[in-house]
């Protein structure tokens, strides 16, 4: 796992992540190792580590998503550990300021996408409760527009929308809950209306990221025959029109 801090993209992604993901998904590691990985990775996310390349914490949260996937299939975390995980993960996502995706020099950073992958695994876990899911939705909403600082162009919106979808597919939520959440996250504030954004770089970033999220969300749920998703798509169509 220390290789996740390597400045070499081949070591981080091609060796460390690929090996850890393979071992975890194919049940090659013991529960004791799962817990050791959980403790190690959450400490990395909470620490102020020297991470000039922007990869150590980003890939740590991606591997943590793989560890959490194991907990979903074969629970090994306690309720307290799971709550701690939700707090650490949502705090990390909310506080991301490095929006780099891919570069030929350092490979993938992609902190937003990797954190969204952890949120997805938590959303899929039946042991994650309503209060924890609410925290996940708040964290996802906080980065929908990258604080109006950066235009998402490397699949971040798709990764966020998958986590959002699976939160709202949980029985704790209704289509009305989705409608209310969506109406809040697509608010044009601090602009009075969406038409006002065209004279501002910040506004155009906000519009681009909002539309990117909405279009990715719509493309995913529209073909579905799931009743909940069908109800969600009806309101989503109205919101998309409002942002044009």
């Amino acid at each position: 796992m220390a290789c996740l801090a390597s400045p070499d993209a081949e070591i981080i992604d091609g060796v460390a992540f690929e090996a850890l993901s393979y071992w975890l998904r194919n049940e090659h590691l013991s529960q004791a190792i799962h817990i050791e990985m959980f403790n190690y990775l959450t400490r990395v996310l909470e620490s102020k580590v020297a991470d000039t390349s922007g990869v150590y914490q980003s890939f740590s949260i991606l591997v943590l998503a793989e560890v959490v996937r194991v907990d979903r299939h074969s629970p090994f975390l306690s309720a307290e550990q799971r709550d701690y995980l939700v707090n650490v993960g949502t705090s990390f996502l909310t506080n991301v300021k490095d929006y780099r995706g891919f570069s030929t020099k350092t490979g993938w950073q992609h902190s937003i996408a990797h954190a969204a992958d952890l949120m997805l695994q938590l959303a899929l876990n039946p042991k994650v409760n309503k209060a924890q899911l609410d925290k996940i939705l708040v964290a996802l909403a906080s980065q929908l527009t990258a604080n109006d600082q950066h235009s998402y162009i490397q699949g971040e919106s798709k990764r966020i929308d998958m986590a959002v979808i699976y939160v709202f597919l949980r029985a704790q939520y209704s289509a009305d809950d989705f409608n209310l959440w969506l109406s809040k996250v697509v608010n044009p504030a601090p602009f009075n209306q969406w038409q006002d954004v065209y004279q501002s770089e910040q506004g155009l970033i906000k519009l681009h990221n909002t539309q990117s999220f909405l279009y990715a969300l719509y493309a995913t749920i529209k073909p579905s025959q799931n009743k909940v998703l069908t109800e969600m798509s009806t309101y989503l169509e109205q919101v998309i029109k409002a942002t044009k």
Side-chain angles (χ1 to χ4, degrees):
M1 288 188 291
C3 291
L4 298 173
S6 170
D8 187 331
E10 270 300 311
I11 296 296
I12 302 164
D13 202 349
V15 177
F17 174 71
E18 289 296 327
L20 292 166
S21 177
Y22 178 83
W23 292 332
L24 288 163
R25 288 180 176 247
N26 289 278
E27 301 179 0
H28 290 335
L29 304 176
S30 68
Q31 186 174 104
I33 295 296
H34 296 156
I35 293 172
E36 184 178 344
M37 292 180 71
F38 172 82
N39 291 333
Y40 179 99
L41 295 166
T42 50
R43 282 198 302 270
V44 171
L45 294 182
E46 284 198 305
S47 66
K48 303 298 182 183
V49 294
D51 189 19
T52 54
S53 63
V55 297
Y56 191 23
Q57 289 186 311
S58 175
F59 270 86
S60 291
I61 202 167
L62 184 62
V63 174
L64 186 58
E66 295 291 299
V67 174
V68 173
R69 181 181 179 275
V70 174
D71 181 60
R72 174 163 64 90
H73 290 285
S74 303
F76 65 90
L77 294 174
S78 67
E80 291 75 18
Q81 287 172 315
R82 212 170 280 112
D83 192 57
Y84 165 67
L85 170 63
V86 170
N87 290 333
V88 170
T90 55
S91 176
F92 177 85
L93 175 56
T94 302
N95 290 293
V96 168
K97 296 294 188 295
D98 184 347
Y99 294 106
R100 288 175 295 175
F102 178 82
S103 76
T104 53
K105 182 179 179 180
T106 58
W108 286 103
Q109 282 89 17
H110 232 200
S111 292
I112 293 295
H114 293 175
D117 290 349
L118 175 61
M119 299 301 109
L120 171 60
Q121 290 301 327
L122 289 168
L124 288 166
N125 192 323
K127 292 186 178 294
V128 173
N129 61 39
K130 174 68 161 52
Q132 293 164 337
L133 292 171
D134 287 343
K135 288 182 181 179
I136 290 168
L137 284 176
V138 170
L140 291 166
S142 74
Q143 293 288 5
L144 282 184
T145 69
N147 291 302
D148 306 337
Q149 298 173 17
H150 167 82
S151 294
Y152 289 139
I153 59 170
Q154 295 175 332
E156 296 90 345
S157 297
K158 175 69 173 178
R159 304 277 270 276
I160 293 171
D161 89 59
M162 290 304 295
V164 168
I165 286 170
Y166 280 98
V167 169
F168 282 109
L169 280 175
R170 295 284 297 272
Q172 291 93 329
Y173 294 95
S174 67
D176 287 341
D177 292 326
F178 170 75
N179 295 351
L180 179 61
W181 180 84
L182 191 64
S183 66
K184 291 179 179 178
V185 301
V186 300
N187 190 310
F191 303 93
N192 292 325
Q193 56 186 349
W194 283 111
Q195 288 302 314
D196 296 341
V197 306
Y198 289 96
Q199 301 302 315
S200 160
E201 183 178 359
Q202 180 190 32
L204 289 170
I205 290 172
K206 182 180 182 69
L207 178 64
H208 167 83
N209 288 341
T210 300
Q211 289 180 331
S212 202
F213 168 73
L214 292 174
Y215 295 156
L217 188 63
Y218 187 71
T220 303
I221 70 177
K222 181 59 178 178
S224 174
Q225 301 301 311
N226 181 284
K227 184 176 181 294
V228 174
L229 294 183
T230 300
E231 292 176 352
M232 288 167 58
S233 69
T234 300
Y235 183 69
L236 183 55
E237 289 171 353
Q238 300 173 24
V239 172
I240 288 173
K241 290 176 182 177
T243 62
K244 289 185 177 180

